[in-house]
Amino acid sequence: MSVTVSVDGPVALGVVRGGFGVLRHVDLPAVAGDALARMPWCHRVLLENLTRCAEPEATEAGRAALLDWLATGRSEAEIPFAPGRILMHDTTCGPALVDIAAMRDVLEAAGGDPRRLNPAVPVATSTDHSLAVDVAGVPDALATNMRREMERNAERYRFMKWASQAIDGFRVFPPGTGIMHTINLERLSTVIATETRDGAEWAVPDTLVGTDSHTPMVNAIGVLGWGVGGIEAEGVMFGVPVSLRIPEVIGVKLTGALPEGVLATDLALVVTERLRRLGVAGEFVEFFGPGVATLTAMQRAVVANMAPEYGASTGCFPIDGATLDFLRMTGRDAAQVELVEAFARATGLWFDPAAEPRYTAVLAIDLGALRPSLAGPRRPQDRLDAAEVPAAIAKAVGAAAGAVPADAVAIAAITSCTNTSDTGLLVAAGLLARKARALGLSPKPWVKTSLTPGSPAAARRLARVGLLAELEALGFGIAGHGCATCIGNSGPLLPAVAAAVEGQGLKPVAVLSGNRNFPGRVHGQVDAALLASPPLVVAFAIAGRAGIDITREEIAPGVTLRDLWPEAAEVEATLAAALDPGDVAPAYAAAEASGPWAALAAPATARFPWDAASTYLRPPPFVTMAPPPSGAGYTAHPLLVLGDDITTDHISPAGAIPPASDAAAWLVERGEDPRDLNVYAARRGNWEVMVRGLFTNRTVVNHLAPGLPAGHTAFAPSAEAMPAWRAAARYAEVGLPVVIVAGERYGTGSSRDWAAKGAQLLGARAVLANSFERIHRANLVGMGVVPLRLPEGWRPEGLALRPGDVIEVALDLAALAPRAAVAVTIRRSDGTTLGGTATALLETAREVALIRGGGMIPTILRTALAA
């Protein structure tokens, strides 16, 4: 229970008592009054954070703005948010750590103490984004892939280990410990945390930001968190609160219950389709209604994980009995479970299925009306009924290649935290595999199969009910614990398929239980991919073809999916037998006790000793305290003119470095083996490699001139075609600014900060686009690059920009304000002009200050030097 005690200043306090002790807390019912019941649960967490962490003036103004929001469901007011911790992974923490190491150098050179540059909040980092499925479907796949991962990344991992020793509050989970979001769910998240304030112990909501767009997965258990760019995370590390406009909240009302044969994956794909259709773009999404109570926390996690795919900043589920069940199932302490319930009930954070808070808009979904679904073959929001798959695939594939069909499934991967964190989905896949094995079925010989679960406890759970062996028998043995195929680290295709792609024009398909299927993301030779539940992945592996109605057509002679599909009761009973609260702690402890990790030698110095010969780690040129160029505007050459849906994968690739690329040439010149150059994601600590990979995805078209290869542009002074990075250097040499022009949804996809760092290194003063994805927009601001929304009616292709045309941007830093109008004029080489008014997509005064200061890194350095 909660009772009001003395008030310290404007903060109303309460206490909770139990087996966990006596803890103070912000008394939200006293702070918000009768309005609390009408607030979205995510706004209640923001109000608590504001009340506890902000200065009194900001607290009162923010409280008033949050309550005023209830009148319209919208607000232009901004509030600070101070997350309790930061979550990162190896390919986002790596660039951030390179920045920090370089900042320590700059700080010492300016007379400061480098040891003072430490995070103000705890940072946890998983090592999950570098695992590649080099080997799959054989007994030693897990050991082989982990060994190769360590061999490829030893230098980078030593750097991370240096950081864990030299930087206070920085924790690393070694390779093999699982995927960051699963670790967050099963190990890190407390739901309700404790902290000491003025000598007293407080209970507070567990909150975080993460440098991965799928950070909202933890919202499944009532923990408010969302993805931010690495640049914004660096600000949070050093005490800069997140500044956000009070978020609009889309309420998704769930009624009914999932019917027989429909899984959490199907719900996630329906939510993605419908919210994208609604036009969600950066809002918070919150799930409410009686249907929520029918979903387990693991099922909710599948839906919450796909928040970036449905366009949301975060997808929230409030705290309820399912949260407590999950905490118990993962071995959390009984006193902690008691604290979560007591706190949530005392503060109004406990879920009421009958409640109908105020939302900006409401979308209703009847769970009972859902059907088995897939999505693709190029975007996660393109949901398909099984009967619609043949036509969709037919448009994406080419001709057959001998025994390999035209619609061949080249990759069938049970991958990603999205679906593997729901053990029920793994059980369903295992039961389907058992039935298939009993009928003598197996995957087709051209299909590369793999299982890369997010939790190291998955093997124990599946083995307990005999399903690990069933999956292994069909080629779905555990090949590693990491993101793997979901982020493009799928390893080589099987030889027959790779040869058919290269020599006969085969256009194969991937089927995966991941969250994204953009062309080329899963594998550089695979443009079409279907997102599917884990049991459907197994079924497609057996069928070997993607262009079929998997629910009706035979997947083997005389066998249909109906013969293999497990009933819900069987899945539930097997799941109950598979789960043991005692699995989690020892599984993670065994994974963390990594011999190869322990054997890594790391420097014991406050400043990192850079190796000039390194091909992985190089201090980047943007780590500086230099201010941005002054003046009331500039005239820029368009470096790239791009279309719609340019993702961060298109901008800055994560997968294998092609042997014929400029990045490969740079590496080979320095002694690297052209047969094993690793992946771009592993080289993000080396700006020389990354800048050469920008925009080189083969589907990227630069409309500036006809016939330009991917990653190329036309250098205006000579009209010469050359790589964009080389042209950018030439423009910089002669002092000519450049900009990038793009269409709708620029920067969609993952949170990778290198997509924005790349724009800065290319010298882009601004990116002018029809619309931006949220995290990439914030990353651009963090790098000092201004995101400008193109004038109404302007489309990149329709502008017909050509080499020699210039764009005048009347951007006066001194007069800049959130969403300021900015005059832009195109002056063509033929003397004609086109004028319009763009909008500076800066959301808050803090973002304006970042642009004026040259970005987040110079701002942090100046603050640290002045401290």
Side-chain angles (χ1 to χ4, degrees):
M1 63 175 293
S2 174
V3 295
T4 301
V5 294
S6 62
V7 175
D8 292 348
V11 181
L13 301 180
V15 296
V16 285
R17 297 182 174 87
F20 47 81
V22 180
L23 300 171
R24 291 185 179 187
H25 64 82
V26 173
D27 189 345
L28 276 178
V31 172
D34 294 340
L36 187 67
R38 297 176 55 225
M39 296 178 73
W41 281 278
C42 57
H43 274 200
R44 301 178 200 188
V45 177
L46 292 177
L47 178 60
E48 189 281 340
N49 188 275
L50 176 76
T51 304
R52 175 170 46 88
C53 299
E55 296 294 327
E57 297 80 2
T59 296
E60 187 52 40
R63 172 186 172 278
L66 279 164
L67 298 184
D68 289 345
W69 182 95
L70 294 170
T72 62
R74 291 177 170 81
S75 176
E76 293 298 318
E78 61 183 87
I79 58 173
F81 174 68
R85 55 193 178 91
I86 298 171
L87 184 67
M88 307 184 86
H89 59 72
D90 54 301
T91 62
T92 52
C93 95
L97 290 176
V98 167
D99 293 349
I100 292 170
M103 281 194 280
R104 284 189 164 196
D105 293 344
V106 172
L107 191 60
E108 183 170 271
D113 182 354
R115 292 169 296 183
R116 297 188 62 180
L117 204 62
N118 289 299
V121 296
V123 181
T125 294
S126 65
T127 313
D128 58 10
H129 270 55
S130 299
L131 174 78
V133 186
D134 293 316
V135 178
V138 294
D140 66 344
L142 174 60
T144 300
N145 291 332
M146 286 195 65
R147 184 182 71 253
R148 291 185 180 178
E149 178 188 3
M150 290 298 295
E151 289 170 353
R152 288 181 181 129
N153 299 289
E155 180 184 354
R156 198 162 53 88
Y157 290 171
R158 276 194 294 270
F159 179 57
M160 292 171 60
K161 194 169 183 180
W162 164 80
S164 70
Q165 299 168 353
I167 300 174
D168 296 341
F170 185 84
R171 178 183 182 184
V172 175
F173 287 87
T177 48
I179 300 175
M180 62 187 296
H181 307 302
T182 310
I183 295 172
N184 201 18
L185 279 169
E186 294 187 343
R187 292 284 281 170
L188 295 176
S189 296
T190 58
V191 183
I192 303 302
T194 58
E195 65 181 31
T196 302
R197 300 177 67 85
D198 299 325
E201 293 299 308
W202 285 57
V204 303
D206 182 12
T207 57
L208 74 151
V209 292
T211 56
D212 186 275
S213 56
H214 295 103
T215 299
M217 187 172 191
V218 76
N219 284 261
I221 57 173
V223 175
L224 184 60
W226 59 86
V228 299
I231 306 303
E232 190 172 5
E234 288 179 30
V236 174
M237 277 188 208
F238 297 108
V240 180
V242 176
S243 182
L244 71 157
R245 201 161 44 89
I246 294 177
E248 297 174 11
V249 185
I250 309 300
V252 178
K253 184 174 184 178
L254 303 180
T255 57
L258 295 176
E260 181 72 38
V262 175
L263 304 174
T265 310
D266 306 311
L267 171 58
L269 296 179
V270 168
V271 169
T272 300
E273 174 193 39
R274 296 192 185 176
L275 286 173
R276 278 293 186 181
R277 188 186 299 161
L278 190 65
V280 171
E283 296 92 339
F284 281 22
V285 166
E286 185 168 278
F287 298 88
F288 73 108
V292 170
T294 70
L295 301 173
T296 67
M298 290 188 292
Q299 290 173 316
R300 297 174 190 180
V302 180
V303 179
N305 177 280
M306 290 193 70
E309 281 66 53
Y310 46 78
S313 293
T314 194
C316 305
F317 287 89
I319 300 168
D320 68 355
T323 305
L324 307 184
D325 291 342
F326 180 82
L327 293 175
R328 296 187 189 99
M329 184 268 289
T330 49
R332 268 36 175 246
D333 182 81
Q336 180 64 31
V337 178
E338 181 189 7
L339 170 60
V340 170
E341 180 172 9
F343 180 92
R345 290 188 182 278
T347 56
L349 297 182
W350 187 261
F351 177 60
D352 177 2
E356 301 223 1
R358 172 70 157 99
Y359 293 111
T360 306
V362 172
L363 173 70
I365 295 179
D366 177 4
L367 298 178
L370 302 189
R371 303 180 297 276
S373 297
L374 301 97
R378 296 178 182 278
R379 300 190 307 176
Q381 63 262 44
D382 296 332
R383 191 196 65 82
L384 299 166
D385 287 335
E388 297 173 308
V389 169
I393 292 298
K395 297 176 183 177
V397 300
V404 182
D407 59 349
V409 174
I411 294 171
I414 302 176
T415 182
S416 174
C417 55
T418 306
N419 287 287
T420 68
S421 296
D422 181 356
T423 307
L425 293 174
L426 294 181
V427 164
L431 291 172
L432 189 146
R434 174 179 287 168
K435 295 174 188 288
R437 188 182 180 195
L439 293 174
L441 305 180
S442 61
K444 293 297 186 287
W446 55 79
V447 183
K448 182 176 182 178
T449 55
S450 63
L451 166 61
T452 51
S455 173
R460 297 171 184 237
R461 294 163 178 162
L462 291 170
R464 182 171 293 114
V465 289
L467 295 181
L468 185 60
E470 305 289 359
L471 287 163
E472 288 172 341
L474 265 68
F476 288 95
I478 294 177
H481 296 288
C483 304
T485 299
C486 185
I487 61 164
N489 293 347
S490 49
L493 300 179
L494 295 184
V497 177
V501 171
E502 291 292 337
Q504 301 175 56
L506 182 72
K507 297 181 179 179
V509 182
V511 182
L512 68 153
S513 64
N515 45 52
R516 290 179 180 147
N517 52 355
F518 307 131
R521 175 181 171 87
V522 174
H523 190 283
Q525 295 176 302
V526 178
D527 284 346
L530 294 173
L531 304 183
S533 66
L536 281 184
V537 171
V538 178
F540 271 103
I542 295 168
R545 295 179 52 216
I548 63 173
D549 180 346
I550 196 73
T551 62
R552 296 176 185 270
E553 298 182 45
E554 289 188 348
I555 61 175
V559 180
T560 66
L561 189 65
R562 186 185 300 272
D563 301 315
L564 305 179
W565 196 263
E567 294 185 354
E570 182 182 10
V571 174
E572 290 173 10
T574 308
L575 175 61
L579 296 174
D580 184 334
D583 283 340
V584 174
Y588 278 94
E592 290 173 30
S594 165
W597 177 262
L600 280 177
T605 55
R607 288 176 55 200
F608 183 71
W610 304 98
D611 178 359
S614 173
T615 60
Y616 279 95
L617 303 169
R618 298 174 78 84
F622 49 70
V623 175
T624 173
M625 285 192 278
S630 58
Y634 53 87
T635 299
H637 286 269
L639 183 70
L640 296 152
V641 181
L642 310 167
D644 294 340
D645 295 304
I646 296 297
T647 72
T648 52
D649 286 286
H650 292 120
I651 302 169
S652 181
I657 298 173
S661 65
D662 286 354
W666 189 93
L667 290 166
V668 172
E669 285 174 4
R670 286 152 182 81
E672 293 288 345
D673 183 351
R675 296 166 299 179
D676 190 4
L677 297 171
N678 213 329
V679 295
Y680 277 108
R683 301 277 185 182
R684 287 181 182 159
N686 183 343
W687 67 273
E688 295 273 18
V689 171
M690 298 307 295
V691 75
R692 286 164 171 77
L694 294 170
F695 297 98
T696 55
N697 183 296
R698 58 192 176 87
T699 64
V700 173
V701 176
N702 185 357
H703 298 281
L704 185 64
L708 288 171
H712 282 58
T713 190
F715 181 58
S718 64
E720 179 186 357
M722 63 181 66
W725 66 270
R726 192 181 300 279
R730 296 270 294 273
Y731 279 120
E733 287 171 4
V734 295
L736 295 175
V738 299
V739 294
I740 295 169
V741 181
E744 298 284 0
R745 297 170 295 278
Y746 182 75
T748 190
S750 71
S751 67
R752 67 191 58 161
D753 57 357
W754 251 106
K757 288 178 174 177
Q760 198 273 355
L761 281 177
L762 291 177
R765 300 277 291 274
V767 176
L768 296 91
N770 292 116
S771 65
F772 294 81
E773 200 74 357
R774 177 186 63 89
I775 295 178
H776 184 62
R777 184 205 64 80
N779 273 339
L780 288 171
V781 174
M783 289 307 300
V785 178
V786 181
L788 294 174
R789 186 171 60 214
L790 282 167
E792 188 70 28
W794 286 24
R795 290 282 301 153
E797 304 95 322
L799 294 174
L801 291 165
R802 292 293 178 262
D805 296 346
V806 295
I807 302 176
E808 293 181 354
V809 182
L811 184 70
D812 184 353
L813 290 181
L816 196 58
R819 296 186 173 263
V822 178
V824 294
T825 304
I826 295 174
R827 296 195 180 276
R828 304 186 189 279
S829 56
D830 63 7
T832 60
T833 64
L834 175 67
T837 302
T839 303
L841 294 183
L842 306 175
E843 297 292 336
T844 65
R846 187 180 298 279
E847 289 191 340
V848 172
L850 283 176
I851 292 295
R852 288 175 179 160
M856 185 68 74
I857 289 173
T859 301
I860 292 171
L861 282 169
R862 294 188 200 103
T863 302
L865 188 61

